[in-house]
Amino acid sequence: MESVESENLGWDLYARFKDLELKIEVKGLSRSQISVELSPNEYQKMKDNQEGYQIAVVTHALTKPI
C-alpha cells in the first residue's frame, strides 16, 4: 500500500498484492449519509481504470471512522 495523493493521479492509494493492483480513491464524510463527489480528474481516471479503481468511503471520519 502506498499513499500517492500528493501526486494528483486521480486516486489516493495504490495497493498491490501478487497480481492484484488497486487504485483507491478515499472519500471522508463527517456523517453516515453517503454522498460523494468526484473531481473531473478522479472521474476520468475511474473510467480509464475501471477494473482496478475503487472508491473507499469513510463515514464519521472526524469522530469514529467507519
Side-chain angles (χ1 to χ4, degrees):
M1 179 83 65
E2 177 184 359
S3 174
V4 295
E5 61 188 302
S6 64
E7 298 176 40
N8 197 30
L9 297 172
W11 57 86
D12 297 321
L13 302 171
Y14 176 74
R16 184 186 327 192
F17 180 74
K18 297 184 181 182
D19 292 337
L20 178 65
E21 295 183 9
L22 296 176
K23 296 168 176 92
I24 306 165
E25 174 60 27
V26 179
K27 296 295 184 183
L29 304 173
S30 60
R31 300 193 300 190
S32 61
Q33 183 179 0
I34 297 176
S35 177
V36 297
E37 292 183 15
L38 297 177
S39 72
N41 183 44
E42 292 166 346
Y43 182 73
Q44 186 61 51
K45 298 300 180 175
M46 180 183 67
K47 286 176 56 179
D48 293 344
N49 298 280
Q50 290 181 25
E51 195 166 306
Y53 195 97
Q54 299 286 314
I55 299 174
V57 178
V58 180
T59 59
H60 300 284
L62 301 175
T63 54
K64 291 184 177 184
I66 299 173

